[in-house]
């Protein structure tokens, strides 16, 4: 493996996350393996968004198969390609459709997590609004026109869209507040853009506008944000939503249907070319998609649009449809993954490797015997076990890796959960432990 330097602080952050079974917020490139075809397909979507089109993808995979990791990777790629990215997890208080503030709560979370290449950790909305003003000023200087006239003209393109007038009005209020150095009004405008005002009365007192971003405007304002991204000098907006299984868990059939209709509305707009410069990437489990009683397939209109290519058999693939299933990692890819984690433990120095190459294949054989085929389907399980295994060796110098494996000191606490066991709503979340967890 090519020696790649790794900072000690970066090592600790990556291993702490991997050991807990979650995706690290930094250093994804150090642990990325496989998924080449899937990444290529999403790259095509990102290029389509940048060129003025739209995209929709439902990323499907079992618990622990790497959905969240893949979604994080897509976020990073989109930011590098010049897109704004918003992301959030659905939950009991966040839905695509609601009448009690849950859709507004999701919008608020998305805007708080708005990220750019220079602000990958979120909180980038103020800087995006400032960049819009800077772009307007640059155009004014190039054309010799007053800035206020250029801003009014550019915002006019938003006013033609649903809820666009109010959106443009708040942006103009922000511009005026910036000129007057009125921080209170600037903050009030940012709060409005994030969907934080709970009543119209409060918004009117603070900004003089009569509307707020609420449940009803959730999707329309996302489309406006996609157009605004272009005005601010970006190439579009990518919306990344994880934990879609929470819609599957809704007890109310009416609530599930309403949320599925919102997904259908988004999908129809993308397929029919009714929106531009925006893409949606949703992460869900197989039962969320295919369960005929509670999943997306229970809604006939969705089933017909999400049905897979009937000719996908005998190893043939089709990455052009809206559904993208994450294939299991191959044994060769698992081996590369273990090598990369070993490399991280050694902070990029091969001289400090805790185990030799043959320990990797020995560990793989051990896992295959203990948990069988599930070990390939859920890389999170193997990663957690490998991190724990190397942690023991690192903290106990002189300990033999052969003795640990040979004496069976790596024990398994099996949970015997298969893909269909989540049919009991509320029983399990996507971030819960996998089919089996390891204990050293």
């Amino acid at each position: 493996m090519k020696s790649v330097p790794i900072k000690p602080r970066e090592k600790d952050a990556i291993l702490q996350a991997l050991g807990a079974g979650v995706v690290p917020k930094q250093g994804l490139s150090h642990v990325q393996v496989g998924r080449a075809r899937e990444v290529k397909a999403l790259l095509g979507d990102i290029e389509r968004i940048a060129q003025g089109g739209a995209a929709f993808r439902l990323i499907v995979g079992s618990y622990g198969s790497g959905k969240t990791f893949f979604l994080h990777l897509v976020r990073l790629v989109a930011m590098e390609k010049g897109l704004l990215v918003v992301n959030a997890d659905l939950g009991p208080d966040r839905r695509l459709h609601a009448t009690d503030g849950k859709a507004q709560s999701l919008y608020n979370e998305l805007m708080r997590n708005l990220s750019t290449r220079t602000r990958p950790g979120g909180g980038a909305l103020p800087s995006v609004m400032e960049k819009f003003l800077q772009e307007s000023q640059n155009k004014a200087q190039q054309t010799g026109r007053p800035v206020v006239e250029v801003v009014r003209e550019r915002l006019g393109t938003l006013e033609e869209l649903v809820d666009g007038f109010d959106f443009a009005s708040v942006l103009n209020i922000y511009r005026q507040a910036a000129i007057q150095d009125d921080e209170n009004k600037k903050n009030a405008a940012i709060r409005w853009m994030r969907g934080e005002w709970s009543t119209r009365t409060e918004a009117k007192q603070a900004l003089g506008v009569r509307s707020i971003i609420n449940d009803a405007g959730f999707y329309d304002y996302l489309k406006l944000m996609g157009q605004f991204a272009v005005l601010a000098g970006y190439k579009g907006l990518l919306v990344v939503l994880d934990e879609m299984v929470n819609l599957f868990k809704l007890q109310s059939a009416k609530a599930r249907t309403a949320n599925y209709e919102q997904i259908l509305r988004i999908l129809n707009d993308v397929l029919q070319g009714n929106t531009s410069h925006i893409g949606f990437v949703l992460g869900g489990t197989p039962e969320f998609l295919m369960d005929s009683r509670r999943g997306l397939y229970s809604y006939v209109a969705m089933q017909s649009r999400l049905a897979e290519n009937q000719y996908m058999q005998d190893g043939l693939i089709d990455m052009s449809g809206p559904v993208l299933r994450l294939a299991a990692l191959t044994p060769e890819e698992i081996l590369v993954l273990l090598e990369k984690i070993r490399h991280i433990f050694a902070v990029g120095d091969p001289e400090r490797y805790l185990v030799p190459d043959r320990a990797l294949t020995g560990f793989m054989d051990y896992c295959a015997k203990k948990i069988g085929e599930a070990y390939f389907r859920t890389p999170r399980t193997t990663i957690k076990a490998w991190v724990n295994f190397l942690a023991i060796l690192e903290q106990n110098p002189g300990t033999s890796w052969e003795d640990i494996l040979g004496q069976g000191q790596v024990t398994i606490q099996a949970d015997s959960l298969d893909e269909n066991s989540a049919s009991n709503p509320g029983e399990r979340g996507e971030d819960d432990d996998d089919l089996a967890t390891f204990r050293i």
Side-chain angles (χ1 to χ4, degrees):
M1 174 178 291
K2 182 180 179 180
S3 180
V4 179
I6 300 172
K7 298 178 182 178
R9 184 176 62 180
E10 190 177 28
K11 167 200 169 182
D12 293 339
I14 295 172
L15 295 179
Q16 184 177 19
L18 294 179
V22 298
V23 178
K25 291 186 177 297
Q26 57 180 290
L28 288 185
S29 61
H30 293 302
V31 290
Q32 166 62 19
V33 299
R35 311 292 191 210
R37 295 181 299 189
E38 291 88 344
V39 171
K40 182 179 179 181
L42 268 296
L43 273 172
D45 291 348
I46 291 170
E47 290 296 332
R48 189 179 310 116
I49 296 167
Q51 294 171 9
F56 178 98
R57 290 282 184 170
L58 177 59
I59 310 301
V60 176
S62 303
Y63 293 108
S65 62
K67 290 187 304 300
T68 301
F69 184 95
F70 185 75
L71 293 179
H72 276 263
L73 184 63
V74 171
R75 284 183 64 252
L76 293 178
V77 172
M79 286 186 278
E80 288 297 323
K81 294 294 184 179
L83 271 66
L84 290 182
V85 179
V86 293
N87 69 283
D89 293 346
L90 269 67
D93 60 341
R94 298 185 196 130
R95 302 179 189 171
L96 297 174
H97 180 278
T99 57
D100 56 357
K102 290 184 174 65
Q104 182 180 353
S105 176
L106 177 59
Y107 183 90
N108 174 234
E109 182 69 10
L110 287 169
M111 290 303 111
R112 284 185 172 276
N113 292 335
L114 190 146
S115 304
T116 65
R117 185 177 60 82
T118 57
R119 295 286 298 274
L125 181 58
S127 63
V128 171
M129 296 174 72
E130 291 292 340
K131 187 174 181 182
F132 165 75
L133 297 181
Q134 186 62 50
E135 288 283 323
S136 299
Q137 186 173 340
N138 292 342
K139 288 184 179 295
Q141 292 175 349
Q142 293 171 3
T143 59
R145 300 161 60 194
V147 176
V148 62
E149 182 179 320
V150 173
V151 170
R152 185 183 302 115
E153 180 181 289
R154 301 183 77 204
L155 292 180
T157 61
L158 299 179
E159 293 178 359
E160 300 174 358
L161 304 174
V162 176
D163 294 322
F165 182 81
D166 295 326
F167 192 91
S169 296
V170 173
L171 286 173
N172 200 40
I173 291 172
Y174 183 88
R175 180 190 67 82
Q176 295 170 350
I179 294 174
Q180 299 168 2
D181 200 23
D182 187 341
E183 291 297 325
N184 289 332
K185 185 151 289 188
K186 285 174 63 177
N187 290 334
I190 290 173
R191 287 189 61 195
W192 190 97
M193 296 290 288
R194 286 177 176 162
E196 293 181 359
W197 292 109
S198 57
T199 67
R200 291 180 174 84
T201 301
E202 293 175 330
K204 184 177 180 181
Q205 291 175 347
L207 296 169
V209 296
R210 296 178 177 273
S211 66
I212 59 173
I213 299 175
N214 53 22
D215 289 335
F218 169 79
Y219 175 47
D220 290 323
Y221 279 105
L222 283 180
K223 291 193 291 185
L224 280 166
M225 187 58 67
Q227 298 301 313
F228 175 60
V230 178
L231 295 180
Y234 298 91
K235 295 182 180 180
L237 175 71
L238 184 68
V239 182
V240 181
L241 298 173
D242 201 0
E243 307 286 2
M244 296 299 293
V245 73
N246 281 286
L247 300 183
F248 170 85
K249 294 178 181 179
L250 291 175
Q251 297 289 341
S252 170
K254 182 178 180 181
R256 284 198 308 274
T257 300
N259 277 270
Y260 291 168
E261 286 177 346
Q262 184 75 289
I263 297 176
L264 178 63
R265 179 188 175 194
I266 294 171
L267 179 57
N268 282 341
D269 277 354
V270 171
L271 296 178
Q272 297 170 3
N274 294 333
T275 188
S276 62
H277 289 292
I278 190 169
F280 293 84
V281 182
L282 285 53
T285 57
E287 58 270 8
F288 165 69
L289 172 66
M290 301 182 66
D291 190 283
S292 59
R293 188 170 63 91
R294 306 174 67 97
L296 286 176
Y297 277 11
S298 67
Y299 194 56
V300 178
M302 287 296 298
Q303 182 176 5
S304 63
R305 288 164 175 78
L306 298 178
E308 296 180 331
N309 190 326
Q310 60 181 319
Y311 300 107
M312 285 176 56
Q313 51 188 327
D314 299 328
L316 300 178
I317 63 170
D318 179 10
M319 296 286 180
S320 63
V323 176
L324 195 158
R325 292 179 178 271
L326 291 184
L329 294 180
T330 66
E332 292 77 15
E333 290 169 339
I334 292 286
L335 179 61
V336 172
L337 182 57
L338 298 185
E339 289 177 344
K340 289 195 170 191
I341 295 174
R342 179 182 64 170
H343 197 68
I344 293 171
F345 263 93
V347 289
D349 182 4
E351 298 296 326
R352 299 174 61 182
Y353 284 168
L354 294 169
V355 293
D357 290 347
R358 61 191 182 89
L360 280 66
T361 54
F363 185 84
M364 289 178 64
D365 291 340
Y366 182 91
C367 290
K369 292 176 182 177
K370 290 293 183 180
I371 58 175
E373 188 264 343
Y375 137 70
F376 294 105
R377 287 193 292 112
T378 55
R380 185 197 303 169
T381 304
T382 306
I383 290 171
K384 290 174 65 176
W386 184 239
V387 170
N388 289 339
F389 179 64
L390 292 182
I392 288 293
L393 296 175
E394 183 180 54
Q395 298 173 52
N396 297 272
T399 302
S400 169
W401 67 268
E402 295 103 324
D403 289 344
I404 295 179
L405 292 183
Q407 295 174 12
Q409 293 182 22
V410 183
T411 59
I412 300 174
Q413 184 178 0
D415 206 15
S416 65
L417 177 73
D418 59 26
E419 290 183 3
N420 297 320
S421 63
S423 59
N424 184 5
E427 182 177 282
R428 193 177 185 89
E430 285 201 75
D431 279 337
D432 292 342
D433 289 340
D434 291 304
L435 301 177
T437 57
F438 288 76
R439 182 176 66 249
I440 298 290

